Amino acid sequence: MLVGRTVPVALCLALAGLAVVPSSGAAQISLPAGFQDTVVFSGLTKPTAVAFASDGRVFVAEKSGLIKVFTSLTATTPTVFADLRTNVYNYWDRGLLGLALHPNFPATPYVYVLYTYDAPIGGTAPTWGTAGATTDTCPDPPGATQGCVASGRLSRLEALGNAMTGTELVLINDWFQQFPSHSVGTLLFGSDGALYASAGEGASFDFTDYGQKGIPPNPGGDPPEPVGGAQTHTLTAPAAPATFTASYGEALPDPWLDQDVGGVGVAGTATQASGNFALQGSGTDIQSTADAFHFAYRSLPGDGQIVARVLSQLNTNPWAKAGVMIRQDLTAGSPYAYVAVTPGHGATFQSRLTAGGATTPVAGAAIAAPYWVKLVRSGTTLTGSISADGAVWTAVGSATIAMSGDVFLEFAVTSHTNTKLSSAAFGNVAVNTSPSPVGSATIAMGSDVFVGLAVTSHANVKLSTAAFDNVN
């Protein structure tokens, strides 16, 4: 654990074949065979991350928010590349902790940083510290027991020689943090070229923390879900600008499955926890003669209905859609009926009567998530409805569609922007399936007939037994 006092620290590298030059007063460390250590750089204050450029330069991040660059491993005096101390909240385990260079650096002159931002998500720094200060405090109140709320920030800096040029480009401001530990962490590029950032949950390391502390209590708005329950929150990326929904869940339970349908640009996902479903889907739209979206589905053998509350929806486009659907098959041009909410155009009911045919849309009320949706199949009639409370329903539209055999009942999400994933969370899910009748007959009977329960053994010398329940 990092403590709240400043001490000079030497940056050491374990390199084979170098002479041992122990720092003054440092404890001797037992190294693996063939390794020796030597002091490369000294005079640094709480260095937290180091990045080596292909041209020989070495970038070192200090916890306070200073980034220094050495021209080589033999250089003794660094240049201050960037000073982020006003934005960085350097308190206890918080600070500038992640540093990475673009894989094509310096041809692509980007330096990426991950640090604790001295303000709540969306706030302005400094909230608790002092502009330009090397160390920060958490005044009481709120103090360490209630928490000085901060956040995490991932940013891109641009290098011009050994100095930062232009302004900090904020990529993500998120990671709610109430207490002074469990903050942001490592930042690195993977072999796949993607940038990976890690972070803690921002909870207390000193007591069981379920959001009960703070001024006001539960300042992060933690949802009332047990550990492992369905949790979602929005990641904000100011530079895009765009937002993304982070979902935490488990694989779908039987009999649910999920897949992409049509020509999606980014593969979608579906998870479930505590009865809530979280879907991510790209795709150009659910519309016209062919669809592109992600969906979680189960079979429907006959009549039935699905009810759900669209808890949240990521606005990748005003026409992004999240709702419930009944579909003949899993092809892009399948007949279907769909009732959904959108971020910018309210509710919509859509239907395609024949395979590869045109889609007919019906506009609903100007609503947005959170909102309830319901789709009912009765014979060849499919009706979509919406509700503010799940009790009083308003029909948006209906269609007559001849579907054969088992059909698919599902949640469907499309981003209307094929290069991005939209996400939606569904709760209060209720599915009612009624299998198609096995058979029927037309029989002329008198005015009084008898209704009862019948059992036969199909063997005249044996008794057959049966039990009946819920007889009305």
Side-chain angles (χ1 to χ4, degrees):
M1 178 181 295
L2 298 171
V3 295
R5 63 188 182 93
T6 302
V7 293
V9 179
L11 179 66
C12 298
L13 301 176
L15 302 172
L18 296 181
V20 176
V21 185
S23 57
S24 177
Q28 298 301 305
I29 300 174
S30 178
L31 299 174
F35 283 82
Q36 295 178 326
D37 69 0
T38 184
V39 175
V40 178
F41 305 133
S42 61
L44 297 167
T45 302
K46 290 185 179 178
T48 51
V50 60
F52 297 89
S54 61
D55 59 9
R57 285 182 288 173
V58 182
F59 289 76
V60 180
E62 293 184 347
K63 185 170 172 286
S64 66
L66 290 174
I67 303 172
K68 299 177 179 179
V69 57
F70 293 84
T71 55
S72 69
L73 285 173
T74 59
T76 57
T77 304
T79 299
V80 175
F81 171 77
D83 184 350
L84 304 178
R85 287 179 295 178
T86 296
N87 287 338
V88 172
Y89 189 24
N90 181 23
Y91 176 68
W92 281 52
D93 291 0
R94 296 167 164 178
L96 172 56
L97 302 182
L99 175 72
L101 302 179
H102 190 281
N104 197 34
F105 188 91
T108 304
Y110 295 147
V111 178
Y112 297 85
V113 292
L114 180 64
Y115 62 87
T116 308
Y117 182 56
D118 190 4
I121 298 171
T124 301
T127 296
W128 309 108
T130 302
T134 298
T135 59
D136 299 311
T137 62
C138 176
D140 191 1
T145 57
Q146 300 296 335
C148 288
V149 172
S151 55
R153 179 178 271 193
L154 171 62
S155 296
R156 191 187 76 189
L157 315 178
E158 185 171 351
L160 180 61
N162 288 333
M164 171 184 164
T165 184
T167 58
E168 175 185 359
L169 181 67
V170 179
L171 302 178
I172 293 177
N173 178 208
D174 196 73
W175 296 296
F176 170 84
Q177 298 167 33
Q178 184 174 354
F179 296 101
S181 191
H182 303 188
S183 184
V184 296
T186 303
L187 185 67
L188 57 84
F189 279 93
S191 59
D192 57 359
L195 180 62
Y196 291 83
S198 65
E201 81 294 329
S204 174
F205 57 85
D206 200 35
F207 57 85
T208 301
D209 177 15
Y210 50 88
Q212 76 276 26
K213 297 283 188 177
I215 305 174
N218 192 20
D222 296 336
E225 293 284 349
V227 174
Q231 309 282 358
T232 64
H233 72 282
T234 299
L235 294 172
T236 302
T243 58
F244 307 90
T245 298
S247 302
Y248 311 91
E250 303 168 351
L252 298 179
D254 290 336
W256 291 93
L257 300 169
D258 76 294
Q259 72 169 64
D260 289 311
V261 64
V264 299
V266 185
T269 62
T271 58
Q272 182 274 155
S274 298
N276 292 339
F277 289 73
L279 272 69
Q280 291 183 309
S282 62
T284 53
D285 203 358
I286 301 172
Q287 184 62 283
S288 189
T289 59
D291 310 318
F293 63 98
H294 192 80
F295 68 124
Y297 64 94
R298 56 180 291 177
S299 64
L300 177 64
D303 292 345
Q305 70 175 29
I306 179 171
V307 175
R309 186 173 185 239
V310 182
L311 301 173
S312 64
Q313 181 184 24
L314 177 61
N315 184 4
T316 51
N317 185 283
W319 275 113
K321 296 167 185 171
V324 291
M325 177 184 290
I326 293 177
R327 194 174 187 88
Q328 174 69 77
D329 56 49
L330 307 183
T331 63
S334 168
Y336 74 92
Y338 181 44
V339 60
V341 299
T342 69
H345 295 283
T348 181
F349 175 81
Q350 300 179 187
S351 60
R352 181 182 297 125
L353 306 187
T354 59
T359 290
T360 301
V362 178
I367 54 88
Y371 223 79
W372 294 72
V373 290
K374 177 171 69 173
L375 188 60
V376 179
R377 183 193 188 199
S378 178
T380 59
T381 301
L382 293 99
T383 304
S385 305
I386 58 174
S387 173
D389 57 9
V392 179
W393 292 91
T394 300
V396 181
S398 65
T400 300
I401 309 175
M403 296 184 180
S404 60
D406 287 1
V407 297
F408 296 97
L409 174 148
E410 61 210 38
F411 305 105
V413 172
T414 182
S415 66
H416 203 80
T417 303
N418 209 21
T419 58
K420 295 181 180 180
L421 286 169
S422 181
S423 57
F426 299 86
N428 302 95
V429 178
V431 175
N432 180 19
T433 61
S434 300
S436 299
V438 175
S440 62
T442 301
I443 306 173
M445 295 185 178
S447 57
D448 292 336
V449 295
F450 296 94
V451 178
L453 305 174
V455 175
T456 179
S457 69
H458 203 71
N460 206 28
V461 294
K462 296 181 180 179
L463 288 173
S464 180
T465 61
F468 299 92
D469 194 9
N470 296 319
V471 178
N472 295 303

